[in-house]
Each structure stands twice: as structure tokens, then as C-alpha cells.
Amino acid sequence: MRITLGPIGIQAQTLTRLHYAVDGMNIPLKALGNAPECELWQAASPVQQGSFKGIVYAANAHVCLASLQLAEHEQGIAAVAEQAYLHLHELGQHLGLPHMLRVWHYLYALNEGEGDAERYKQFCLGRAQALEYAGVPAEHLHAATLVGSQTPGVRMHFILVKQPPLNLENPRQTSAYHYPREYGPRQPAFARASIMQWPEAAPQLFVSGTASIVGHRSRHAEDLAGQVDESLRNIQTLLQAAAETMGDLQWRDLDFLKIYLRHDADLERTRQQLRSVVGNDLPLIFLQAGLCRAELLVEIETQARPAGVKIP
């Protein structure tokens, strides 16, 4: 599932288009600058499309790419999160692809509410309850990004796989699932990165949304440049942690950086700073989004895979 920038968007290098088989799987965020108009996820073996409890998906015997959108109505965001993750778990069992590899969440009014009532914290509560019910242990948690959108409700995109990925933590950071109580009634349930060791193919690295957090504390409040630098240091640490499986990874080896900015006015400053570190060849994709902590201004994710290798 390698994706790289092509002339009209993100183009995969294999043959079967998972993206087009999943109707309506769009990202509900504002693209900034010259961000590509689409992402194409492809697999080397044929996929079938289907739907399951409101989830639309495309899958083959090894992998499933899917999308789920839920309205909130009156039940509250914790209940919606629990329902979403239970449906995700049920789909995995139904397809024989029981393991989560990567999840993207887009949550309306992410930081609305005070204390434990903040919507982000309530989402974490519902997610944790569902994963607990499904019996998913911490070592099988997935890479994830959770950002705020202006579109009401909850939208999730996710990848399910047959075999569990190898999940990585960052020694500079407290594991999110071990955060202290001050961050909410239940800890965020995700791994800092995941490596998928595809059968008969090279491994692929997925780095979660990564911010300016050291230990469990946010760093460089109101300092965009400091937050960008700290986020890059955290990503570099994860690349080092992946070296035993993936080999040495430099910035040039990544597929792209996807950058979520709280303020679209920060686009050019962030672009210039990133170019000074990663060079001019690595694709940069900028999106405007709310972030999980009010003091955070930027979050960055990435992925990597040796060139020229297809997944099954």
C-alpha cells in the first residue's frame, strides 16, 4: 500500500484501486496550499467492495480500507465513539481481518466542553470502553490520528489486516494509553507507530499523528517553530525505533509528511521551516484541523515503505 504524489494527487504504484471502491471516503478538512486533491490507495490483488452496519469498505484476503460516518443525535460523543469502534471490531471479525493497523478520526468541535466533558476526552472514553469490550490489549493498539473538523458528526477511515502489526512507542514520550488521570477519564488508545509486515513483501511503517509532547506534557506553547521542531524530533525517534525492522530511514525515504495546522495562517512559516529540515523533495500535505490539546498548533504524520514493493 505505498502511496506517493502523482500529477493529480496521491497515486499508488499498484493496480487495484481501493479508493474508488469506497464511495464517499473523503477527508472533511480544508486543504491548504497546493495539497493534492485525492488519495489513491491500491493493492496488488483484487478487492471487493461492500457495506456493513453503515461502514463502506473495499477488501481482499489481506487488507481492508473502510470508512464510517456517524451522526450524534442525542446520545453523546462517548456513545458514538463506542458504537463506531464496536462496529469496526465486528467488521474485522466478519471479514477475517481482525486487527486494526491504522485509523484516522475526524471529530466535530473537538475541544468543545470543559474538563472531562471536553468532546475529545469523551471520545477517548467511548473508544476505550469499546476496545476493552473487544478484548484488544495495549500491545495490539493501532497507529492513529484524531483531529477536529467543521463537519458535524464523526468520520473515521481505517485499515484492517489479517495479522497483527508490530506497534512502536516513543522513548521520549509517555505511551498515550499510560497518560495520567489529568488527561481525561480514559487514556487515548493508540500506538505511536505501527509496522505492517506484509506477507511476501517488505514492511510498511505508519507513524501516528505526532505533536510537540515530551513525556506527557505539551511543549512550546504558542511557539509554532518550537512545536514543529519538537514534532520532528519525535518522528525521528520513531524512525530510529523502526530501524531494526525497516532499516535506516532518512527524511528522503518517507512517502510524505501530512501536516495538520490549527491556523491556516501558519502555512507558509511551517512550510519554510519543514523545507529547511527535510529538503525540497519530500511531499508536504497541509490540512487545517483542530488538535487534541488547545495549546497545540501543529501535528504531523507520515509513513514509509521501500520503493517498488507491492502489498498482496
Side-chain angles (χ1 to χ4, degrees), residues 58 61 75 87-88 95 154 200 213 227 236 241 244 258 301 307:
Q75 71 267 49
H87 286 181
L88 188 159
L95 295 175
V154 174
E200 301 180 5
I213 297 172
Q227 290 194 23
Q236 283 184 308
E244 183 175 347
K258 186 179 288 184
E301 67 180 57

Side-chain angles (χ1 to χ4, degrees), residues 149-196:
S149 83
Q150 299 299 314
T151 303
V154 174
R155 177 164 291 176
M156 293 170 54
H157 301 159
F158 50 91
I159 301 172
L160 302 174
V161 290
K162 184 178 291 292
Q163 302 298 327
L166 171 65
N167 295 324
L168 302 177
E169 292 301 315
N170 185 339
R172 300 185 77 239
Q173 297 178 299
T174 304
S175 296
Y177 48 83
H178 287 154
Y179 278 179
R181 175 62 178 82
E182 66 189 271
Y183 294 101
R186 294 295 297 266
Q187 294 95 335
F190 69 94
R192 299 295 183 186
S194 294
I195 296 175
M196 188 62 213

Side-chain angles (χ1 to χ4, degrees), residues 294-306:
E295 67 273 15
L296 294 178
L297 302 173
V298 60
E299 185 171 309
I300 305 173
E301 67 180 57
T302 190
Q303 59 193 61
R305 181 179 180 80

Side-chain angles (χ1 to χ4, degrees), residues 17-26 49 56-59 65-67:
R17 294 188 175 184
L18 282 166
H19 175 84
Y20 288 142
V22 184
D23 295 332
M25 189 173 174
N26 61 314
Q49 61 180 337
V56 292
Y57 67 86
L65 177 66
S67 179

